[in-house]
Amino acid sequence: MTEKPWGGRFSEATDKQVEAFSASIDVDARLYRWDIEGSMAHCRMLARQGIIQKKEADAIVAGLAAIQKEIDAGTFVFDPALEDVHMNIEQALFDRIGPAARKLHTARSRNDQVALDVRLFLRDRTLSVVAGLVALRQRIADFAGAHIDVIMPGYTHLQRAQPVLFAHHLMAYYEMFFRDTQRFAEGLKRINVLPLGSAALAGTPYPIDRAYTAELLGFDAVSANSMDAVSDRDFAIEFTASAAICMMHFSRLAEELVLWSSSEFGFVELSDAVSTGSSIMPQKKNPDVPELVRGKTGRVFGDLMGLLTLMKSLPLCYNRDMQEDKHLLFDAADTLSACLPVCTALFDNMKVNNEAMAQAAARGYLNATDMADYLVGKGVAFRDAHACVGKAVAAAIAKGRELHELTLKELKTFSAAVEADLFDVLAPEKVIERRQAFGGTAKKTVRAAIAAARRQIKKERKTYGL
């Protein structure tokens, strides 16, 4: 029978069903690198403070390093009876170096230990996500720059609304993913707080140096309240919330790629490398990658709701319910991390059909607003101009023509203010180029936005060492 580290108070062995039910090693084993990193720092601090001897600390650190190599190599055998990654490593350390291993847990609890492990994991994962988002935004900006001359319909209610540059449409996603980058980077401040030293809930009577431990582990701050430190999972919920918002942005992009690659739109073609076929219909080429991204978004939303529900109404401090946080957190982190490079790769595997986009932008009365603005420029009140153009559109629909395909004589029946110069106003290129206000779709403005994005990315690469 495996001896429990907490077994001193108990006179009966744990029921095998309970043992299996309460074990978390199948999930938290992946935290081993961060658990060992935290243990090494804690050990060095204990030795520095004279709480354990230096020779004991040296043996502990060497033993932990050897155990990490074993786990890295895949030769380490985790014992479910030991419940979790912390106890497995501690027992392995005892088997390797003897009684000195039992001193490692001085001045800490599994409560502050697991909080530390998750924070270290999330710090690394957040930096990885930030790097992925920077790479994605770079690809979007480059793709937009390479297609700066492509005109497409802009939509509201999925109905053609006004002509825009395809590059302008893409840069809208750049802005979404920029906000995502900011959210993760800002969340890093709240992740990078040391909980170790809080012990089970009340702190420790040992003369530890938490600031030194924080320095060893690269934390920017130390938790201010021991009860909060062991029971807080806000940082994990915040990460998952940021992941959910980011996945929502991915789902919007994915949906548009699914639509645009359909025969009905024909705006883009995804390469064979990111598409699949049908087991029964030989002609099919399916946009499975964006569809899967769209579907995986729901998983991350569920992970967020699960974490919020898990933490709802939990009294202070640690409760065993919190063991379930890692299933949800890991799934959200893994799903987002899988989607990031795949979505970035879509831009390397997408051909843009300039002609199809331009033809769509030229049909559907997308220049109606500009005709109204033209009339306003001639002194007509906007509401009156709006009504005039609405009637003109209705007449054009009845005739099966676009506004710019009506004759000057026909257009004058709706407003005497119409002159021959209106036809120049209604050209899609002119509609676009008039929108030069900051944030608009004019080519000059979009070029400036792409240039600003590239400067932004360059600055971030320097900041995050990418």
Side-chain angles (χ1 to χ4, degrees):
M1 182 183 74
T2 302
E3 184 181 344
K4 306 291 192 215
W6 41 262
R9 180 252 185 268
F10 291 79
S11 58
E12 289 183 69
T14 309
D15 183 278
K16 292 298 180 185
Q17 285 183 311
V18 171
E19 197 169 74
F21 181 72
S22 60
S24 63
I25 191 62
D26 60 320
V27 176
D28 63 28
R30 68 184 293 178
L31 290 172
Y32 76 89
R33 287 189 184 89
W34 298 281
D35 193 72
I36 289 172
E37 181 184 358
S39 290
M40 285 179 170
H42 181 66
C43 177
R44 291 186 175 110
M45 181 277 295
L46 292 176
R48 188 173 185 258
Q49 295 300 105
I51 298 170
I52 64 173
Q53 296 177 15
K54 184 179 183 301
K55 64 179 181 180
E56 293 172 323
D58 290 342
I60 290 170
V61 169
L64 288 171
I67 291 168
Q68 179 163 339
K69 285 182 180 178
E70 223 176 285
I71 302 175
D72 287 343
T75 58
F76 187 93
V77 179
F78 288 99
D79 182 358
L82 287 169
E83 297 182 359
D84 57 36
V85 66
H86 324 296
M87 292 297 97
N88 268 269
I89 290 173
E90 185 175 317
Q91 183 60 48
L93 185 64
F94 177 79
D95 294 342
R96 185 175 290 272
I97 70 169
R102 300 302 192 212
K103 296 189 176 183
L104 173 60
H105 208 54
T106 306
R108 76 175 182 183
S109 160
R110 280 188 295 177
N111 295 356
D112 59 345
Q113 188 177 357
V114 70
L116 171 69
D117 292 1
V118 175
R119 284 178 181 272
L120 288 170
F121 162 78
L122 268 189
R123 183 175 68 185
D124 286 357
R125 183 56 63 94
T126 298
L127 289 169
S128 174
V129 167
V130 167
L133 283 168
V134 169
L136 171 63
R137 286 163 42 220
Q138 178 77 67
R139 192 69 195 93
I140 291 172
D142 290 345
F143 202 77
H147 296 84
I148 193 68
D149 295 317
V150 179
I151 295 174
M152 68 173 291
Y155 294 83
T156 63
H157 309 277
L158 205 54
Q159 304 295 313
R160 294 178 194 174
Q162 292 179 305
V164 297
L165 290 181
F166 176 56
H168 188 57
H169 193 119
L170 290 176
M171 290 303 289
Y173 285 104
Y174 176 92
E175 293 298 329
M176 294 181 208
F177 294 125
F178 173 59
R179 292 193 297 274
D180 291 326
T181 308
Q182 288 179 309
R183 265 185 284 272
F184 282 110
E186 288 163 4
L188 195 57
K189 299 173 187 175
R190 287 172 287 281
I191 291 170
N192 207 30
V193 177
L194 176 78
L196 200 62
S198 301
L201 77 159
T204 176
Y206 293 95
I208 62 173
D209 186 344
R210 298 186 70 203
Y212 178 64
T213 307
E215 181 185 336
L216 289 176
L217 291 171
F219 282 100
D220 296 326
V222 174
S223 60
N225 182 286
S226 60
M227 296 179 75
D228 176 58
V230 297
S231 61
D232 168 41
R233 292 299 183 271
D234 291 2
F235 63 95
I237 294 170
E238 184 177 4
F239 175 91
T240 310
S242 296
I245 295 171
C246 187
M247 287 299 298
M248 177 266 290
H249 293 152
F250 277 135
S251 76
R252 297 182 73 179
L253 174 62
E255 172 69 2
E256 296 208 304
L257 292 179
V258 169
L259 289 172
W260 292 349
S261 62
S262 68
S263 299
E264 284 70 18
F265 278 77
F267 287 0
V268 302
E269 181 183 356
L270 298 177
S271 77
D272 293 354
V274 293
S275 304
T276 63
S278 166
S279 62
I280 189 172
M281 295 169 283
Q283 84 283 6
K284 292 296 296 297
K285 183 176 180 181
N286 300 324
D288 280 17
V289 170
E291 286 178 347
L292 280 169
V293 170
R294 189 175 59 185
K296 288 176 183 292
T297 298
R299 281 179 57 175
V300 180
F301 287 4
D303 293 331
L304 174 59
M305 291 303 104
L307 278 171
L308 287 167
T309 306
L310 177 69
M311 296 302 295
K312 176 188 174 295
S313 304
L314 280 188
L316 294 177
C317 293
Y318 181 83
N319 297 273
R320 193 63 180 267
D321 313 45
M322 293 164 69
Q323 176 176 298
E324 294 299 304
D325 64 349
K326 285 170 283 298
H327 293 267
L328 301 162
L329 178 61
F330 292 163
D331 184 68
D334 292 347
T335 302
L336 175 62
S337 295
C339 289
L340 259 169
V342 168
C343 286
T344 304
L346 285 173
F347 290 96
D348 295 318
N349 290 276
M350 182 164 55
K351 181 181 178 182
V352 177
N353 188 337
N354 303 9
E355 187 177 344
M357 286 191 179
Q359 287 177 355
R363 313 300 298 178
Y365 313 99
L366 278 68
N367 48 14
T369 302
D370 284 75
M371 181 174 170
D373 290 336
Y374 167 86
L375 292 175
V376 170
K378 297 288 187 176
V380 180
F382 181 78
R383 287 301 174 197
D384 294 334
H386 189 286
C388 287
V389 177
K391 292 173 183 176
V393 169
I397 290 172
K399 295 175 185 290
R401 288 186 275 167
E402 291 291 321
L403 283 175
H404 54 274
E405 293 172 342
L406 296 176
T407 66
L408 179 59
K409 183 178 179 180
E410 287 171 323
L411 288 168
K412 272 187 169 293
T413 63
F414 304 106
S415 174
V418 172
E419 301 292 344
D421 58 348
L422 172 62
F423 293 101
D424 186 52
V425 169
L426 298 181
E429 295 82 1
K430 296 298 178 66
V431 170
I432 286 171
E433 286 312 305
R434 276 193 295 277
R435 282 155 173 78
Q436 295 193 15
F438 182 76
T441 190
K443 190 180 293 185
K444 177 181 177 181
T445 310
V446 176
R447 283 191 191 278
I450 294 170
R454 286 172 171 154
R455 290 193 299 271
Q456 202 170 60
I457 289 168
K458 185 177 180 181
K459 182 179 179 182
E460 285 174 301
R461 288 190 185 281
K462 185 176 181 181
T463 299
Y464 300 115
L466 303 176

